[in-house]
Amino acid sequence: MNESTRKTMFSSATNEWPTPIEFYNKLDKMYRFSLDPCCTKESAKCPHFFTEEDDGLAQSWQGHTVFMNPPYGSEIKHWVKKAYEESQKHITLVVALIPARTDTQYWHNYCMKASEIMLVKGRLKFGDGTGSAPFPSAVVVFGDKAILNPPVLSAIERT
């Protein structure tokens, strides 16, 4: 990682890093997202989204299949808690792309209750950064994906 990228990623200049589109597309193919609760208008990945002004933490996510790439600063714990709590509501699934920080309280309090945790091999390159992230990532799935995405029967199985 070059000096410029290191200074930016470890600074407080921004804590919002757009999800790599290829990575998002793979997840979207699996889950068919309908809500992005913590994005900018420019980085929104879903038809329904909340910006900082909308305050996604104060909104209901119920009934959505949510893709969440939260701000990675100190407030990430609030987003992970919200993801878990929203997933407890009727027909709500939350898929969170977060740093794999298994030593944090929020990881143990909420991520360990997830229905699925996928560790990302290698390091993702976020936004327009010139290098990869200085941390490993995980995809944490809160809720029952079978409720929202029932198996599709093939023509043979329907006959």
Side-chain angles (χ1 to χ4, degrees):
M1 163 181 352
N2 68 31
E3 185 65 17
S4 173
T5 300
R6 188 186 65 72
K7 282 183 179 178
T8 302
M9 292 189 89
F10 288 105
S11 77
S12 58
T14 184
N15 61 3
E16 294 180 2
W17 292 91
T19 306
I21 194 64
E22 303 82 19
F23 189 80
Y24 171 81
N25 287 341
K26 287 179 186 177
L27 290 174
D28 188 44
K29 196 173 201 177
M30 293 168 57
Y31 295 102
R32 301 182 298 255
F33 298 118
S34 62
L35 174 65
D36 186 342
C38 43
C39 61
T40 64
K41 287 180 183 177
E42 298 76 27
S43 69
K45 302 283 189 272
C46 300
H48 202 89
F49 61 90
F50 300 129
T51 64
E52 186 175 0
E53 294 78 27
D54 299 320
D55 188 6
L57 288 172
Q59 306 292 329
S60 173
W61 306 352
Q62 185 170 355
H64 285 282
T65 303
V66 179
F67 172 72
M68 183 184 84
N69 176 7
Y72 285 4
S74 60
E75 66 269 23
I76 192 172
K77 62 187 171 199
H78 303 296
W79 288 100
V80 173
K81 178 183 179 192
K82 174 76 169 177
Y84 171 75
E85 290 172 347
E86 289 292 322
S87 76
Q88 301 304 295
K89 295 179 178 178
H90 183 64
I91 62 166
T92 305
L93 180 81
V94 181
V95 179
L97 173 60
I98 61 174
R101 295 189 176 131
T102 61
D103 58 337
T104 61
Q105 271 192 317
Y106 70 79
W107 187 276
H108 287 272
N109 291 342
Y110 303 106
C111 297
M112 294 307 294
K113 296 176 184 176
S115 57
E116 188 174 6
I117 298 173
M118 296 174 271
L119 300 175
V120 178
K121 185 177 180 180
R123 304 272 169 112
L124 294 174
K125 181 181 171 194
F126 289 88
D128 58 0
T130 58
S132 299
F135 51 80
S137 297
V139 175
V140 181
V141 180
F142 295 102
D144 184 3
K145 66 182 176 184
I147 292 172
L148 295 174
N149 299 317
V152 177
L153 297 176
S154 70
I156 295 170
E157 292 172 312
R158 287 192 301 230
T159 58

